[in-house]
């Protein structure tokens, strides 16, 4: 019944925005952050993913992101990513605002993607900001222009979000008739404020819906891949 309701909202919506988190990528084989098998179970994020670690513990910082980048080897988008990309092509999704840094939405073919936390797939120099290849970073090279330290274009704890991605997500969420939030614990500021900006219907899809979901009009419990497949099947019947 809940899925039918959502399908009806999707059909009637002039603008639908999807907000994704790490739970969108777990079915592709990438761990999330705060679940039992998540990155932050055994690692303190501030010790590796912060401005402090970049500036004062660069080797630890680099090794952590090397591990994260290498964990993406042979990783492919799953059916859920593909369904979202297909919905964009069919005019059913206007924007994916994502906290994910793995670019799996792009890999699946989505074009309208706002990377709220940047990505770990592209690299820049911390000093002169010039781009470098991922191999340069993995080989522990310094910047070829100014010998500065290299880093991924990811948002670290202590940094602001990319202005353009934030403004676009904020505006499109505010103006959307429907916002679908998938696979995020909504624990991280400021992205966890975005659902509150929604003036249209607000939907939550997550494996674990045991926390407070009062702000949502509809809650669907299950894995992103499974739930999106069910929605897509119902859409086909409409
Ligand atoms: P979390 O690890 O905090 O939350 C992931 C959520 O996805 C949890 O609520 C899980 O229950 C849910 N989940 C896991 N697998 C799922 C699946 N297959 N289908 C549906 N739901 C599933 O990750 P985020 O909320 O994305 O920041 O974390 C936000 C930010 O914290 C990340 O972007 C990262 C981290 O520090 C940066 O890297 C800057």
């Amino acid at each position: 019944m809940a899925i039918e309701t959502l399908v009806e909202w999707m059909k009637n919506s002039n603008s639908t925005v999807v907000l994704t988190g790490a739970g969108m990528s777990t079915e592709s084989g990438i761990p999330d952050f705060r679940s039992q098998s998540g990155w932050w179970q055994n690692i303190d994020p501030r010790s590796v993913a912060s401005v402090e670690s970049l500036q004062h513990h660069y080797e630890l910082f680099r090794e952590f992101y090397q591990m994260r980048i290498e964990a993406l080897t042979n990783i492919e988008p799953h059916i859920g990513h593909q369904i979202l990309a297909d919905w964009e092509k069919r005019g059913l999704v206007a924007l994916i605002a994502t906290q994910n840094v793995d670019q799996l939405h792009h890999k699946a073919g989505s074009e309208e993607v706002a990377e709220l936390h940047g990505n770990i797939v592209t690299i820049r120099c911390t000093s002169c900001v010039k781009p470098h290849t991922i191999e340069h970073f993995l080989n522990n090279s310094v910047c070829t222009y100014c010998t500065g330290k290299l880093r991924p274009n990811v948002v670290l704890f202590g940094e602001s979000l990319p202005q353009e991605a934030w403004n676009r997500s904020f505006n499109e969420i505010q103006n959307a008739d429907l916002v679908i939030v998938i696979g995020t614990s909504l624990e991280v500021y400021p992205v966890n404020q975005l659902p509150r900006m929604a003036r249209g219907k607000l939907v939550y899809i997550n494996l674990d819906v045991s926390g407070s979901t009062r702000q949502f009009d509809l809650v669907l419990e299950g894995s992103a891949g499974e739930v999106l497949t069910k929605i897509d099947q119902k859409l086909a019947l409409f």
Side-chain angles (χ1 to χ4, degrees):
M1 199 59 204
I3 287 186
E4 280 86 348
T5 305
L6 173 55
V7 167
E8 207 168 301
W9 289 347
M10 286 176 71
K11 288 280 182 182
N12 292 329
S13 168
N14 286 318
S15 176
T16 297
V17 176
V18 176
L19 172 64
T20 61
M24 184 72 218
S25 293
T26 53
E27 288 159 276
S28 285
I30 305 173
D32 64 10
F33 294 93
R34 294 174 184 79
S35 296
Q36 255 178 2
S37 53
W39 289 107
W40 300 155
Q41 280 303 320
N42 301 311
I43 305 173
D44 169 11
R46 303 215 170 247
S47 71
V48 288
S50 62
V51 175
E52 153 86 12
S53 68
L54 170 64
Q55 288 174 346
H56 302 294
H57 308 284
Y58 182 70
E59 211 28 55
L60 210 60
F61 169 89
R62 208 195 60 77
E63 277 171 14
F64 175 67
Y65 281 104
Q66 170 156 8
M67 186 168 73
R68 295 274 306 278
I69 291 166
E70 285 173 350
L72 294 182
T73 313
N74 300 326
I75 292 286
E76 294 297 331
H78 62 75
I79 183 73
H81 292 102
Q82 283 154 7
I83 288 171
L84 291 179
D86 179 53
W87 288 355
E88 179 191 298
K89 288 186 184 66
R90 290 161 60 190
L92 292 164
V93 165
L95 176 71
I96 298 177
T98 189
Q99 296 166 88
N100 298 342
V101 295
D102 51 36
Q103 292 204 331
L104 286 182
H105 288 300
H106 297 88
K107 215 169 171 185
S110 291
E111 289 178 12
E112 302 302 331
V113 182
E115 290 182 313
L116 288 159
H117 287 165
N119 68 72
I120 58 170
V121 176
T122 58
I123 305 293
R124 71 172 188 266
C125 171
T126 52
S127 302
C128 72
V129 197
K130 291 213 170 83
H132 282 69
T133 64
I134 208 151
E135 287 73 28
H136 271 106
F137 180 74
L138 294 178
N139 292 336
N140 200 7
S141 304
V142 291
C143 172
T144 48
Y145 303 95
C146 76
T147 74
K149 291 174 191 161
L150 300 182
R151 60 165 289 178
N153 283 313
V154 64
V155 175
L156 303 174
F157 286 96
E159 288 182 325
S160 328
L161 270 53
Q163 196 72 33
E164 204 184 313
W166 173 259
N167 288 344
R168 184 171 179 202
S169 303
F170 186 100
N171 290 332
E172 295 210 23
I173 283 176
Q174 218 173 28
N175 294 323
D177 294 324
L178 175 62
V179 176
I180 307 175
V181 179
I182 307 176
T184 171
S185 60
L186 291 175
E187 280 194 31
V188 173
Y189 181 88
V191 173
N192 60 2
Q193 302 302 302
L194 284 173
R196 291 167 203 265
M197 308 304 159
R199 293 187 284 216
K201 299 283 187 208
L202 192 54
V203 178
Y204 189 56
I205 299 175
N206 203 297
L207 263 186
D208 175 7
V209 296
S210 56
S212 169
T213 54
R214 263 177 308 171
Q215 64 174 320
F216 294 94
D217 299 297
L218 194 69
V219 174
L220 295 170
E221 183 174 10
S223 80
E226 257 174 55
V227 176
L228 289 169
T229 301
K230 283 188 193 153
I231 300 166
D232 197 50
Q233 285 164 350
K234 280 275 182 277
L235 263 173
L237 299 176
F238 247 73

